[in-house]
Amino acid sequence: RASLPLRAEAWMPVDPSSALVSELFVLHVVVVIDGAGQGLPLRSPASLWVSCSIQTQEDPDANKAGAQPAAFVLDATEGSSCWSMLPLEQQGKSIKAADLTADGELRPTGGVFAVDGTRLKGVSSFRPKGADKTSSVLVMPVVVRSGRDCRAVLSLRLEARAGAEGSGRLLQTTVLPNATLHFRAALQVSFDERAVATPGGRASVLPRRFSIKALTPVAVQLRRVEAVQFALGGDGPTLEPVPALGSLGKVAPGSLHVLALPPGTDKDLEAASVMSISFVRDGFTAAFFPWAATDAAGAEPSIRGEPPQATTEWPIPKEAQAPVSETPYVELEHAPTGAVTEPLQVKVIVRGRTKFAQEVKVRVVQSDTGEGSERFFISGPTGTQTILLGRNGDRQVCTTFTLVPLRSGMLTLPRAHLSAGEWEATSVASSVFVFPAAQQVVMRSGA
């Protein structure tokens, strides 16, 4: 019996070696029947069926976690906001891809998304060599997704069968050359550690910074970055996801995108936290569906919904608990601004661990800049003694003095020096901005 003049090839508008882990990599199966309507050996309508098998080649040094590669076709019947896909790789099963009329015309079934190739004259790649005006061309997107670093070797098989539902005899089998896709991780996440002692033990109130690096030669658009917490041995999240601090956007190849976790995100030591990152390839539609802008009929072939976003997860390492400083830490607490001749209250604060109640000497000393009586007056105890209670890092006010600025501009405050039997500490430099007085001030010298 005469065979059908049916041939097919896989066309990949995107380099198959640049596939990203977890993304939907799209290739197009182009099916051609030459001489449609020219007396083909068909007595009745037939149908075209597609099946697929995938062989996985693991990279020796790659992470073996994640789902194996899988292939899908797009479901044209669903009307959801996101792509609906039908699994293509099923042992011994195939999916009806198109109807084949008695005169050799390929027509989409309406179940599997496919496009009449005659509408895509603007893309020469969709009309293989030898395809003339009498050829019937069908373009069917095939989606491949992998959750791990690997090479996926795709083998596609087409079968023309008699009957609209393929229940008749096998008319022809066409096996496409293998297509090899190399999936690589798109992003790398690294967290800043804070294992050093912080004065006053205040590290827990600071955001935890982390960076996202693009590892591949293509840019990606970040869509969602959040911390998700799971109970150890549990099936689902234990808390609402916590969005990262910072702006999302485009991550260029090799660049770093810095974000932060809100303070206290990872306090539960009985739970495991992961950083969940959703992204899409920059220019996804234009890259994988170039015919969308060159449709000869002027109307873009309709793809229902938006493509699912790629998602990758990274474990969030437990943050090292910064020890509370054994030596008390001294700071000045005051308003950030003041005005000439208006009293400014300054509190001397002690933070840190004090093992037991103890007597402390407090002295207010001149600043390193040498600013003195020509810039401000001081009222209150500048040399005194006080008692610190035995506390573990709590804030304690040991004394208060009042400062009266005499000139406008940036003013460096005097420092507070504390000393006890086993330790001594001096406050760090502190300053305020002094505005001019609301009314003119005339300074008079004493008689």
Side-chain angles (χ1 to χ4, degrees), residues 235-319:
D235 296 330
T238 59
L239 299 172
E240 287 294 323
V242 179
L245 303 176
S247 60
L248 307 181
K250 181 177 178 179
V251 182
S255 66
L256 288 176
H257 199 84
V258 179
L259 301 170
L261 285 176
T265 301
D266 192 25
K267 285 185 176 180
D268 190 351
L269 299 180
E270 299 301 322
S273 298
V274 297
M275 180 62 64
S276 177
I277 303 174
S278 297
F279 65 92
V280 295
R281 179 188 292 256
D282 190 40
F284 179 91
T285 302
F288 286 111
F289 296 92
W291 43 260
T294 56
D295 179 15
E300 177 181 335
S302 176
I303 304 176
R304 295 179 182 272
E306 294 294 327
Q309 298 173 0
T311 301
T312 182
E313 292 182 346
W314 283 77
I316 301 177
K318 292 295 182 182
E319 186 176 6

Side-chain angles (χ1 to χ4, degrees), residues 6 23 51 169 188 223 276 278 293 334 349 383 406:
L6 185 150
E23 82 163 344
S51 61
R169 63 187 176 89
Q188 183 181 50
R223 291 289 185 255
S276 177
S278 297
H334 53 82
I349 307 297
L406 301 180

